[in-house]
mmCIF file with all atom_site columns, all heavy atoms in Angstrom:
data_model
loop_
_atom_site.group_PDB
_atom_site.id
_atom_site.type_symbol
_atom_site.label_atom_id
_atom_site.label_alt_id
_atom_site.label_comp_id
_atom_site.label_asym_id
_atom_site.label_entity_id
_atom_site.label_seq_id
_atom_site.pdbx_PDB_ins_code
_atom_site.Cartn_x
_atom_site.Cartn_y
_atom_site.Cartn_z
_atom_site.occupancy
_atom_site.B_iso_or_equiv
_atom_site.pdbx_formal_charge
_atom_site.auth_seq_id
_atom_site.auth_comp_id
_atom_site.auth_asym_id
_atom_site.auth_atom_id
_atom_site.pdbx_PDB_model_num
ATOM 1  N N   . VAL R 1 147 ? 3.116  12.786 55.604 1.00 96.00 ? 147 VAL R N   1
ATOM 2  C CA  . VAL R 1 147 ? 4.151  12.256 56.501 1.00 96.00 ? 147 VAL R CA  1
ATOM 3  C C   . VAL R 1 147 ? 3.550  11.490 57.683 1.00 96.00 ? 147 VAL R C   1
ATOM 4  O O   . VAL R 1 147 ? 2.434  11.779 58.138 1.00 96.00 ? 147 VAL R O   1
ATOM 5  C CB  . VAL R 1 147 ? 5.082  13.369 57.056 1.00 96.00 ? 147 VAL R CB  1
ATOM 6  C CG1 . VAL R 1 147 ? 5.815  14.088 55.939 1.00 96.00 ? 147 VAL R CG1 1
ATOM 7  C CG2 . VAL R 1 147 ? 4.329  14.351 57.931 1.00 96.00 ? 147 VAL R CG2 1
ATOM 8  N N   . LEU R 1 148 ? 4.317  10.515 58.141 1.00 96.00 ? 148 LEU R N   1
ATOM 9  C CA  . LEU R 1 148 ? 3.959  9.770  59.346 1.00 96.00 ? 148 LEU R CA  1
ATOM 10 C C   . LEU R 1 148 ? 4.865  10.265 60.466 1.00 96.00 ? 148 LEU R C   1
ATOM 11 O O   . LEU R 1 148 ? 6.087  10.175 60.367 1.00 96.00 ? 148 LEU R O   1
ATOM 12 C CB  . LEU R 1 148 ? 4.157  8.268  59.125 1.00 96.00 ? 148 LEU R CB  1
ATOM 13 C CG  . LEU R 1 148 ? 3.886  7.385  60.332 1.00 96.00 ? 148 LEU R CG  1
ATOM 14 C CD1 . LEU R 1 148 ? 2.419  7.394  60.707 1.00 96.00 ? 148 LEU R CD1 1
ATOM 15 C CD2 . LEU R 1 148 ? 4.371  5.973  60.100 1.00 96.00 ? 148 LEU R CD2 1
ATOM 16 N N   . ALA R 1 149 ? 4.243  10.792 61.507 1.00 95.00 ? 149 ALA R N   1
ATOM 17 C CA  . ALA R 1 149 ? 5.020  11.316 62.633 1.00 95.00 ? 149 ALA R CA  1
ATOM 18 C C   . ALA R 1 149 ? 5.332  10.206 63.625 1.00 95.00 ? 149 ALA R C   1
ATOM 19 O O   . ALA R 1 149 ? 4.742  9.121  63.563 1.00 95.00 ? 149 ALA R O   1
ATOM 20 C CB  . ALA R 1 149 ? 4.248  12.432 63.329 1.00 95.00 ? 149 ALA R CB  1
ATOM 21 N N   . ALA R 1 150 ? 6.237  10.483 64.533 1.00 89.00 ? 150 ALA R N   1
ATOM 22 C CA  . ALA R 1 150 ? 6.649  9.506  65.548 1.00 89.00 ? 150 ALA R CA  1
ATOM 23 C C   . ALA R 1 150 ? 5.472  9.049  66.407 1.00 89.00 ? 150 ALA R C   1
ATOM 24 O O   . ALA R 1 150 ? 5.479  7.945  66.931 1.00 89.00 ? 150 ALA R O   1
ATOM 25 C CB  . ALA R 1 150 ? 7.743  10.103 66.418 1.00 89.00 ? 150 ALA R CB  1
ATOM 26 N N   . ASP R 1 151 ? 4.423  9.867  66.545 1.00 91.00 ? 151 ASP R N   1
ATOM 27 C CA  . ASP R 1 151 ? 3.273  9.484  67.367 1.00 91.00 ? 151 ASP R CA  1
ATOM 28 C C   . ASP R 1 151 ? 2.268  8.623  66.600 1.00 91.00 ? 151 ASP R C   1
ATOM 29 O O   . ASP R 1 151 ? 1.207  8.304  67.122 1.00 91.00 ? 151 ASP R O   1
ATOM 30 C CB  . ASP R 1 151 ? 2.593  10.727 67.970 1.00 91.00 ? 151 ASP R CB  1
ATOM 31 C CG  . ASP R 1 151 ? 1.807  11.529 66.936 1.00 91.00 ? 151 ASP R CG  1
ATOM 32 O OD1 . ASP R 1 151 ? 1.997  11.285 65.725 1.00 91.00 ? 151 ASP R OD1 1
ATOM 33 O OD2 . ASP R 1 151 ? 1.003  12.381 67.335 1.00 91.00 ? 151 ASP R OD2 1
ATOM 34 N N   . GLY R 1 152 ? 2.593  8.265  65.339 1.00 92.00 ? 152 GLY R N   1
ATOM 35 C CA  . GLY R 1 152 ? 1.727  7.382  64.576 1.00 92.00 ? 152 GLY R CA  1
ATOM 36 C C   . GLY R 1 152 ? 0.642  8.096  63.790 1.00 92.00 ? 152 GLY R C   1
ATOM 37 O O   . GLY R 1 152 ? -0.163 7.453  63.109 1.00 92.00 ? 152 GLY R O   1
ATOM 38 N N   . HIS R 1 153 ? 0.600  9.412  63.831 1.00 95.00 ? 153 HIS R N   1
ATOM 39 C CA  . HIS R 1 153 ? -0.416 10.166 63.093 1.00 95.00 ? 153 HIS R CA  1
ATOM 40 C C   . HIS R 1 153 ? 0.110  10.610 61.729 1.00 95.00 ? 153 HIS R C   1
ATOM 41 O O   . HIS R 1 153 ? 1.268  11.001 61.607 1.00 95.00 ? 153 HIS R O   1
ATOM 42 C CB  . HIS R 1 153 ? -0.848 11.405 63.881 1.00 95.00 ? 153 HIS R CB  1
ATOM 43 C CG  . HIS R 1 153 ? -1.631 11.068 65.112 1.00 95.00 ? 153 HIS R CG  1
ATOM 44 N ND1 . HIS R 1 153 ? -1.903 11.962 66.106 1.00 95.00 ? 153 HIS R ND1 1
ATOM 45 C CD2 . HIS R 1 153 ? -2.207 9.895  65.492 1.00 95.00 ? 153 HIS R CD2 1
ATOM 46 C CE1 . HIS R 1 153 ? -2.606 11.364 67.046 1.00 95.00 ? 153 HIS R CE1 1
ATOM 47 N NE2 . HIS R 1 153 ? -2.790 10.113 66.717 1.00 95.00 ? 153 HIS R NE2 1
ATOM 48 N N   . ILE R 1 154 ? -0.753 10.554 60.740 1.00 95.00 ? 154 ILE R N   1
ATOM 49 C CA  . ILE R 1 154 ? -0.402 11.001 59.393 1.00 95.00 ? 154 ILE R CA  1
ATOM 50 C C   . ILE R 1 154 ? -0.947 12.407 59.185 1.00 95.00 ? 154 ILE R C   1
ATOM 51 O O   . ILE R 1 154 ? -2.095 12.690 59.529 1.00 95.00 ? 154 ILE R O   1
ATOM 52 C CB  . ILE R 1 154 ? -0.981 10.034 58.328 1.00 95.00 ? 154 ILE R CB  1
ATOM 53 C CG1 . ILE R 1 154 ? -0.248 8.693  58.405 1.00 95.00 ? 154 ILE R CG1 1
ATOM 54 C CG2 . ILE R 1 154 ? -0.900 10.630 56.933 1.00 95.00 ? 154 ILE R CG2 1
ATOM 55 C CD1 . ILE R 1 154 ? -0.864 7.601  57.551 1.00 95.00 ? 154 ILE R CD1 1
ATOM 56 N N   . THR R 1 155 ? -0.119 13.286 58.646 1.00 96.00 ? 155 THR R N   1
ATOM 57 C CA  . THR R 1 155 ? -0.614 14.609 58.242 1.00 96.00 ? 155 THR R CA  1
ATOM 58 C C   . THR R 1 155 ? -0.236 14.806 56.780 1.00 96.00 ? 155 THR R C   1
ATOM 59 O O   . THR R 1 155 ? 0.703  14.197 56.275 1.00 96.00 ? 155 THR R O   1
ATOM 60 C CB  . THR R 1 155 ? -0.012 15.747 59.102 1.00 96.00 ? 155 THR R CB  1
ATOM 61 O OG1 . THR R 1 155 ? 1.402  15.592 59.190 1.00 96.00 ? 155 THR R OG1 1
ATOM 62 C CG2 . THR R 1 155 ? -0.585 15.757 60.512 1.00 96.00 ? 155 THR R CG2 1
ATOM 63 N N   . ARG R 1 156 ? -1.006 15.641 56.078 1.00 96.00 ? 156 ARG R N   1
ATOM 64 C CA  . ARG R 1 156 ? -0.725 15.881 54.666 1.00 96.00 ? 156 ARG R CA  1
ATOM 65 C C   . ARG R 1 156 ? -1.079 17.310 54.299 1.00 96.00 ? 156 ARG R C   1
ATOM 66 O O   . ARG R 1 156 ? -1.795 17.986 55.029 1.00 96.00 ? 156 ARG R O   1
ATOM 67 C CB  . ARG R 1 156 ? -1.505 14.884 53.791 1.00 96.00 ? 156 ARG R CB  1
ATOM 68 C CG  . ARG R 1 156 ? -2.980 14.801 54.080 1.00 96.00 ? 156 ARG R CG  1
ATOM 69 C CD  . ARG R 1 156 ? -3.684 13.865 53.103 1.00 96.00 ? 156 ARG R CD  1
ATOM 70 N NE  . ARG R 1 156 ? -3.370 12.462 53.347 1.00 96.00 ? 156 ARG R NE  1
ATOM 71 C CZ  . ARG R 1 156 ? -4.028 11.681 54.207 1.00 96.00 ? 156 ARG R CZ  1
ATOM 72 N NH1 . ARG R 1 156 ? -5.045 12.165 54.894 1.00 96.00 ? 156 ARG R NH1 1
ATOM 73 N NH2 . ARG R 1 156 ? -3.698 10.432 54.372 1.00 96.00 ? 156 ARG R NH2 1
ATOM 74 N N   . GLY R 1 157 ? -0.540 17.735 53.157 1.00 97.00 ? 157 GLY R N   1
ATOM 75 C CA  . GLY R 1 157 ? -0.833 19.084 52.694 1.00 97.00 ? 157 GLY R CA  1
ATOM 76 C C   . GLY R 1 157 ? -0.221 19.342 51.334 1.00 97.00 ? 157 GLY R C   1
ATOM 77 O O   . GLY R 1 157 ? 0.373  18.438 50.727 1.00 97.00 ? 157 GLY R O   1
ATOM 78 N N   . GLU R 1 158 ? -0.389 20.562 50.840 1.00 97.00 ? 158 GLU R N   1
ATOM 79 C CA  . GLU R 1 158 ? 0.135  20.948 49.530 1.00 97.00 ? 158 GLU R CA  1
ATOM 80 C C   . GLU R 1 158 ? 0.844  22.293 49.630 1.00 97.00 ? 158 GLU R C   1
ATOM 81 O O   . GLU R 1 158 ? 0.398  23.180 50.363 1.00 97.00 ? 158 GLU R O   1
ATOM 82 C CB  . GLU R 1 158 ? -1.012 21.077 48.518 1.00 97.00 ? 158 GLU R CB  1
ATOM 83 C CG  . GLU R 1 158 ? -1.461 19.759 47.945 1.00 97.00 ? 158 GLU R CG  1
ATOM 84 C CD  . GLU R 1 158 ? -2.464 19.925 46.809 1.00 97.00 ? 158 GLU R CD  1
ATOM 85 O OE1 . GLU R 1 158 ? -2.929 21.058 46.560 1.00 97.00 ? 158 GLU R OE1 1
ATOM 86 O OE2 . GLU R 1 158 ? -2.774 18.912 46.187 1.00 97.00 ? 158 GLU R OE2 1
ATOM 87 N N   . ILE R 1 159 ? 1.935  22.412 48.877 1.00 98.00 ? 159 ILE R N   1
ATOM 88 C CA  . ILE R 1 159 ? 2.664  23.676 48.825 1.00 98.00 ? 159 ILE R CA  1
ATOM 89 C C   . ILE R 1 159 ? 2.702  24.143 47.368 1.00 98.00 ? 159 ILE R C   1
ATOM 90 O O   . ILE R 1 159 ? 3.428  23.561 46.549 1.00 98.00 ? 159 ILE R O   1
ATOM 91 C CB  . ILE R 1 159 ? 4.113  23.500 49.348 1.00 98.00 ? 159 ILE R CB  1
ATOM 92 C CG1 . ILE R 1 159 ? 4.101  22.898 50.756 1.00 98.00 ? 159 ILE R CG1 1
ATOM 93 C CG2 . ILE R 1 159 ? 4.874  24.811 49.319 1.00 98.00 ? 159 ILE R CG2 1
ATOM 94 C CD1 . ILE R 1 159 ? 5.328  22.087 51.050 1.00 98.00 ? 159 ILE R CD1 1
#
Side-chain angles (χ1 to χ4, degrees):
V147 299
L148 177 67
D151 73 346
H153 291 167
I154 291 171
T155 48
R156 51 176 72 87
E158 279 188 352
I159 305 151

